[in-house]
Each structure stands twice: as structure tokens, then as C-alpha cells.
Amino acid sequence: MEKENNSIQVKDGGFKLNYKRTFIIGFAFFGILLFWQVYDSRCPTLLTSLFSEAFGVNDETQVQYLVGVVMALDNLAALILLPIFGKLSDKTKTPLGKRMPYILVGTFVSAVAFPFIPVLYHYNNAVGVVVMMAIVMIFMMMYRNPAVSLMPDMTPKPLRSKANGIINIMGYIGGAFATVTGIIFVLSDYLKLNEGAEWAYQNIWVIEAPFLIASILMIVSALVLLFTIKENKIAEEMKDELKRGEEYAEITDKVDDDKPMTKANKIMLILILVAEFFWFMADNGIGTFMSNYTIYHLGGSTQGTMINTIVGGVGSVIGFALGGIIAGKIGRKWTVFSGLTLSVASYAVWGILSECAPSFAYGVGEFPFALYIIWFIKGFGMSLVHVNSYPMVVELCSSKKIGAFTGYYYASSMVAQTITPMLLGTLMLIEGFDFGILPFYALICGTVSLIIVLFIKSVKIDKTTIKTGLEAMDQGD
């Protein structure tokens, strides 16, 4: 017997992923990663320049605490707003659906405000930059949770790792767009240090370009979603398949909305969120300060950082493509554990080389080739983690609470991203510490996360019910 609808085709009791629609939903994540790539890679450096000039310091490490505080305040707002917008969107009913109104409003307001950050920087307005960053962040939080929730809204539980891999690939395409536009930023020498160790103010359009292009592409991605994803129609079509997918969830106890969450499921959720906290402490910590590490520790240009980002992105895309397949073989827990192991190993190698290799020494003026290899491995490892960890969280709820549990997932990451910039910035104030502590900091946090993952219960589903490979891509006549 064969049953086919607009979203999932079922043959012999097996689930099949609608690849076309999953790629389209991925445009939401395209906009998210596009924004974050520009925001995280540019704003810390802009703030460093503004604060150094404002306080008249020549040693940029002395203002990293303030940079960390500003970046953390944005994340603190996100910690509060993400769960709120998640729960609100769960309960929202409109002709456009429950997620789309938040996606549209959040995208358009943040896209309009985003290009004003470099404008205010160009005119040396530190307060204006911080205020505009806060406005952008608030409306990005309105957009982020509902946008991410679209995938589990329309995908049965057994297929969510594979679907999340596709979503993340689309996101990294967005990040690639941001990196390409950033090449303009680098070639301009806009932030290249001159002999007087002062920042060179040049043509405003050069620094403006990455922000402006990011805003335009964010709006395009939101419009693609608006005109192609009809939430209410798809929700009705998917109702039976989502219900059937509950039977194959990788959880200890079955989810029941009419009863409190079971103790076993609560423990599983807490362990996942705590482990997530520590792997974000590691990854976001080094990510926030990587541009400054290149400029102030290595003495090089940000071009090395951008190439490094591309190399890490390639490793991530490979991991996103394979993460769901690997999880189908060994389970999501052990796929996450494997990815963390690779990442922790890469931090360890980076730390050893930073102590022993001359190319990692202070002020060498070059970006070490070995760091490209390290970033590729780290990118691949962390992609295995990300592609499976979010499905593990929303596995523990029904379709009625996806926005709320998405909020829990991002709240954990935002707590980490709130603490880690401030903690690292504070550590750099200690005599004898500088940007060279980054790999060791990541190693400690990553190792803690790895240990916690070991205590998460591993639950395997019946793989025979899920189509894989070429069979899974067959959409029928």
C-alpha cells in the first residue's frame, strides 16, 4: 500500500523526508547564520577600536572585558526573549501560520537597523553602536526561535537529524555569503593597523558593505519562506505523520501532553542542556575573540581569519551532510560524543602548538597553516554535535511545545554565550594571560561537555522503518 501527500511519502510503514521543502525551510537558517557571521566577526573588532580610543589605551587586551560585556548583554537579552517568543509562537494562530508573523517582523526590523552599526562606528559613536546592536539583537530573537521551529513543525521525529543537517547546510551557505562580502572589508585595509597603531578611518561604504548585503539577503530569505511555505496547510497535511513519528522517538519514555514530563525524560533534557552549555562556552568563546587573536596575538590581518572561517565551514558542511546518516547507524548520543571528541582533540593540538610552534608566537604576522587543519576538524566535529543535539531536545516534546523546547535549547546556548565573552575578557586582565589562552579555555570547557554526554541515555530506534540513501530521495511519481 502506498500513501503520498505533499510532504511525506510512506511506503511499507517507512518515513521519507521531503528534501525540497526542507531546503526551502532552510532559508530561515540561511538568514540566521548570515547575520551571526557578520555580527560575531565584525562587532567585537569595531568595539575594540571604539573602546581603545575612548579610554586611550594602547594595549587592546585591556578593553576585551568591556567588549565581552557588550557581547554578553546581547546574549542576556536573548536568554530572556528566545523562550518568550517560542512560547508565544506555539500559541499564535493567524492566516499566515504561527511562526511566520514573528519571522517577518523580526527580519524586517533587524535588517533595517543592522547597516546603521557601521555607520555609527564610522562617526566614532560608541554609545550609538551599542544601542543599535541591542535593537538588532532584540528583533533577531523574535525571528530566530520561530524560524528554527519550522523544521520540527513539519518533520517527523525520526527524520529530524537528517533534516537538521540540510537546514544547517543552508545556514552555512548564508555564512559563506557573509564571508565573501567580508573579503571586501579585509582588502580595504579599513581596520589595518598603521605604524602609529591607530585605526585607519577610510571610505564608509567599504565597512558598510557586509552589513548592507547581509540585510538584503536576510529580507530575501524571509520572502522566500513567505511565498513558498504555507504553514497552516502543511500542518494539516502533516498531522497524522507527526503523530506516527512520536512512536519512533529516541527518548526513554513516551511523551504525553496530558501528563507531567517523566523523571527519566527530565534527566535526559537537563544533561543535554548542561552539555550544550559547556560546548557553547568553548566554541563561542574562541569564536568571539578569533578576529582579535589574529590581529593582536599573531599580528596578522583578518584575511587569515576569514580563510579559516571558510575552511571550518567546509568541514561543517561535510559534517552536516553526514551527521544524520551517522546517527542512523550509531544513535544521536554517540554521534554527538564523537563530534565532541574530535573538537576537544583539535583544541588540544592547538594548545600544544601554541606553546611549541614558532608560527603561533606573539606578533609573527602570519596565520599558521596548521590552524586551518585544526579548524576543519573542529568544524566537522561540532557539526556532528549541532545536527543531532537540537533534535534530541525537541524529541522530548510534542508538536504543541516545539517553540518552548526550542527556547530551552537556545536559552542554554545563550547562557553560555552570555558568560563566556565576559569570563574570557576577565581572564585576559590577569597578568601573564593574553589571547594565547583561547585553546586551553576551549579545551577545558569542551572536556567537561564530553564527560556530561557520557551520562545521557542512549536510545536507538528501529532503523528499518526509515528510508535512507537513494531510496529516501525517491519522491515517487
Side-chain angles (χ1 to χ4, degrees), residues 90 261 269 393-394 396-397 401-410:
D90 279 339
M261 195 175 187
L269 176 62
V393 171
V394 291
L396 294 161
C397 72
K401 296 182 179 179
I402 286 174
F405 274 66
T406 299
Y408 301 152
Y409 179 81
Y410 280 106

Side-chain angles (χ1 to χ4, degrees), residues 221-293:
S221 69
L223 292 175
V224 169
L225 285 173
L226 174 63
F227 291 113
T228 56
I229 301 297
K230 307 301 179 184
E231 269 195 83
N232 293 335
K233 179 182 177 183
I234 295 172
E236 183 61 30
E237 292 173 346
M238 291 296 304
K239 183 169 59 177
D240 292 340
E241 289 306 309
L242 290 172
K243 183 177 180 181
R244 199 168 69 86
E246 297 285 344
E247 302 297 324
Y248 301 98
E250 292 187 42
I251 54 178
T252 303
D253 297 323
K254 183 179 178 181
V255 172
D256 188 339
D257 281 335
D258 297 324
K259 298 180 181 179
M261 195 175 187
T262 67
K263 181 179 179 180
N265 284 354
K266 281 182 180 179
I267 292 174
M268 189 172 182
L269 176 62
I270 291 170
L271 288 174
I272 295 170
L273 296 180
V274 174
E276 178 198 358
F277 169 82
F278 280 103
W279 74 59
F280 268 100
M281 285 284 286
D283 205 36
N284 185 258
I286 59 177
T288 298
F289 290 101
M290 197 59 197
S291 292
N292 288 350
Y293 173 87

